[in-house]
C-alpha cells in the first residue's frame, strides 16, 4: 500500500471507525461508509493544506472539524439499520469467527440445522396433506431430517474450515501448520461422499459399487470449494482485521 | 454576515443535495463544494452528514449511483458518482414548494413588525 495513504488511514481512520463501528449493518455497507468518509476526508485535507499555509497537524484537525460531531454522525448512520440490513447482518454472523466461542457456533448451527429440517418437513407435510403424493408422511420426515443432516455435515464443516484454510493458503496471521491443513482437507474430502453414500444407501438398499464410486468422485469437491473460496475470504479477513485493529476507545 | 451552521440546515439537507444533483451528477466532495459556492461561503455544513443523507435519498429511490470513478489523486477506493432520478426530481419540486410555503409563512411572522 502507498505509505502516504497508510498514514492517512491512521489519522482519519480513527475518526471514521469511531463513527461507523457501532452501526449494525452488513460488512459491505460498512465498507462503503468507511470508503466514502475516508475519501472525502482525504480530499478535504488536500484542499485545506493547499489553501492555507498551515501545518499538517492543523490541516488534519480542520479536516476532522469539518466532518461534524462524531456521535451525531453515528446516529445518522444508524438510520441504515433497516430490517433488510439487520437480517443480512444476521446471516453474516452465521460465519465462524475464531475470536468467538466455537461451542456457541456449533450450538447455533445445530439449532439452525434442525430448525431447517422441521421447516422443510412441515412444508412437505402440508403439501402432502393438501394433495396426497407418494412421498407420504414418512418421506416428508425423512427429507426434513436429510436437510438437517446436510446442513450439519456440509455447511458447518465449510464454515469451520474456511478460516484456517484461507489463512494458510494466503499466508495470513494465525495460519495453522501444514499438517493440520492437510488433515482438514482430508476431513473435508470425506464430507460429500458420506452424504452421497448415506442418501443412496437409504433409498436403494443394499449399497452398490457405483455409489462408492460416486462418493469417491465427489471427494475432492469440498476441498476444492474451500480452496476457491479462500481468495475472496482472504481479502475480507485482511480488510476486517485492518479496521478491527484500530483502538477507538 | 454570520455563517449558517448545520443545525439550522437540518431537514433541508436532502432537498439541497437534490438541487445540486439536478444541475449534474456528482460525487460527495463536489456536492459540498457546489453547496458552499451557492451559499457564498456562508453555509457551514457538517460534511460527514452528507453521506447519511445520500444513503437516505438512495433508499428512497431519489438518487442512484451512476458510476464509480477513481479520484484524481489515484488513491483510495473509487468514489461514487450520484445521479438524481425521476422520483428525486419530483421530491425536489415538492421540497421547493414546501420551502416557499415555509419562507412565506415565517416571513409574514418574523418579517413583519409586531
Amino acid at each position: 500500500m502507498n505509505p502516504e495513504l497508510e498514514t492517512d488511514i491512521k489519522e482519519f481512520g480513527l475518526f471514521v471507525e469511531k463513527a461507523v463501528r457501532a452501526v449494525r449493518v452488513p460488512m459491505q455497507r460498512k465498507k462503503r461508509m468507511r470508503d466514502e468518509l475516508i475519501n472525502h476526508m482525504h480530499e478535504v485535507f488536500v484542499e485545506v493544506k493547499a489553501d492555507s499555509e498551515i501545518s499538517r497537524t492543523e490541516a488534519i484537525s480542520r479536516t476532522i472539524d469539518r466532518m461534524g460531531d462524531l456521535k451525531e454522525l453515528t446516529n445518522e448512520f444508524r438510520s441504515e439499520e433497516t430490517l433488510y440490513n439487520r437480517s443480512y447482518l444476521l446471516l453474516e454472523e452465521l460465519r465462524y469467527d475464531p475470536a468467538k466461542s466455537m461451542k456457541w457456533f456449533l450450538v447455533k448451527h445445530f439449532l439452525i440445522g434442525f430448525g431447517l429440517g422441521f421447516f422443510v418437513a412441515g412444508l412437505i407435510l402440508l403439501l402432502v396433506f393438501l394433495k396426497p403424493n407418494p412421498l407420504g408422511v414418512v418421506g416428508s420426515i425423512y427429507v426434513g431430517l436429510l436437510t438437517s443432516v446436510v446442513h450439519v455435515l456440509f455447511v458447518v464443516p465449510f464454515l469451520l474450515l474456511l478460516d484456517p484454510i484461507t489463512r494458510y493458503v494466503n499466508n495470513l496471521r494465525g495460519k495453522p501448520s501444514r499438517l493440520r491443513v492437510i488433515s482438514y482437507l482430508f476431513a473435508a474430502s470425506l464430507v460429500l461422499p458420506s452424504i452421497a453414500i448415506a442418501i443412496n444407501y437409504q433409498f436403494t438398499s443394499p449399497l452398490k459399487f457405483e455409489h462408492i464410486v460416486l462418493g469417491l468422485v465427489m471427494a475432492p469437491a469440498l476441498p476444492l470449494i474451500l480452496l476457491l473460496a479462500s481468495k475472496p475470504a482472504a481479502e475480507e479477513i485482511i480488510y476486517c482485521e485492518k479496521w478491527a485493529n484500530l483502538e477507538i476507545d | 454576515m454570520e455563517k449558517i451552521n448545520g443545525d439550522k440546515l437540518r431537514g433541508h439537507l436532502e432537498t439541497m443535495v437534490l438541487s445540486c444533483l439536478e444541475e449534474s451528477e456528482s460525487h460527495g466532495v463536489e456536492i459540498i463544494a457546489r453547496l458552499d459556492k451557492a451559499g457564498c461561503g456562508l453555509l457551514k455544513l457538517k460534511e460527514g452528514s452528507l453521506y447519511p443523507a445520500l444513503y437516505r435519498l438512495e433508499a428512497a429511490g431519489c438518487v442512484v449511483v451512476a458510476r464509480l470513478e477513481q479520484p484524481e489523486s489515484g488513491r483510495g477506493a473509487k468514489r461514487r458518482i450520484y445521479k438524481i432520478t425521476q422520483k428525486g426530481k419530483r421530491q425536489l419540486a415538492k421540497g421547493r414548494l414546501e420551502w416557499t410555503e415555509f419562507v412565506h409563512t415565517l416571513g409574514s411572522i418574523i418579517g413583519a413588525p409586531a
Side-chain angles (χ1 to χ4, degrees), chain A residues 2 4-5 8 29 31-37 39-44 47 65-69 72-73 76-77 79-80, chain B residues 7 10 27-29 32 45-53 55-56 58-59 65 71-73 75-80 82:
Chain A
N2 182 336
E4 206 181 341
L5 183 62
D8 287 341
R29 197 73 196 159
K31 183 176 185 300
R32 179 174 172 182
M33 291 172 181
R34 289 185 183 121
D35 286 350
E36 294 207 297
L37 285 178
N39 269 0
H40 189 102
M41 291 180 88
H42 173 70
E43 291 193 40
V44 170
E47 177 198 313
D65 282 349
R66 274 177 55 171
M67 299 306 284
D69 182 67
E72 223 172 276
L73 190 54
E76 287 195 67
F77 275 131
S79 66
E80 287 284 294
Chain B
D7 293 329
R10 199 185 294 272
H27 55 83
V29 176
I32 293 287
L45 284 162
K46 294 169 182 174
E47 295 184 24
S49 297
L50 172 70
Y51 295 96
Y55 299 160
R56 285 194 294 272
E58 193 183 22
V65 175
E72 283 100 36
S73 60
R75 311 153 40 134
K78 286 182 177 173
R79 57 190 179 194
R80 285 166 177 79
Y82 291 92

Side-chain angles (χ1 to χ4, degrees), chain B residues 14-112:
Chain B
E14 273 98 333
T15 311
M16 290 179 359
V17 170
L18 287 174
S19 181
C20 272
L21 291 174
E22 191 190 30
E23 195 182 314
S24 66
E25 55 188 40
S26 180
H27 55 83
V29 176
E30 200 180 334
I31 293 172
I32 293 287
R34 283 186 196 171
L35 287 173
D36 191 51
K37 194 179 165 195
C40 305
L42 291 173
L43 292 180
K44 195 175 178 296
L45 284 162
K46 294 169 182 174
E47 295 184 24
S49 297
L50 172 70
Y51 295 96
L54 280 167
Y55 299 160
R56 285 194 294 272
L57 287 168
E58 193 183 22
C62 294
V63 301
V64 288
V65 175
R67 61 180 196 282
L68 298 173
E69 187 184 270
Q70 194 67 46
E72 283 100 36
S73 60
R75 311 153 40 134
K78 286 182 177 173
R79 57 190 179 194
R80 285 166 177 79
I81 309 294
Y82 291 92
K83 184 182 168 184
I84 192 166
T85 61
Q86 284 304 319
K87 190 179 177 191
K89 285 178 185 169
R90 288 196 295 275
Q91 185 60 38
L92 175 60
K94 196 176 154 199
R96 279 181 175 143
L97 189 68
E98 281 173 7
W99 173 250
T100 311
E101 283 170 3
F102 176 79
V103 171
H104 180 74
T105 308
L106 260 72
S108 62
I109 299 165
I110 300 171

Side-chain angles (χ1 to χ4, degrees), chain A residues 5-65:
Chain A
L5 183 62
E6 182 68 17
T7 314
D8 287 341
I9 286 179
K10 277 180 189 160
E11 283 157 339
F12 297 133
L14 274 174
F15 177 88
V16 171
E17 194 55 14
K18 279 179 187 170
V20 167
R21 191 175 284 180
V23 184
R24 294 188 51 77
V25 289
M27 210 264 297
Q28 281 303 323
R29 197 73 196 159
K30 215 173 247 195
K31 183 176 185 300
R32 179 174 172 182
M33 291 172 181
R34 289 185 183 121
D35 286 350
E36 294 207 297
L37 285 178
I38 281 282
N39 269 0
H40 189 102
M41 291 180 88
H42 173 70
E43 291 193 40
V44 170
F45 171 77
V46 171
E47 177 198 313
V48 171
K49 194 81 184 67
D51 277 4
S52 355
E53 286 180 3
I54 57 169
S55 70
R56 191 176 187 278
T57 318
E58 179 60 19
I60 289 168
S61 165
R62 284 193 195 181
T63 302
I64 292 172
D65 282 349

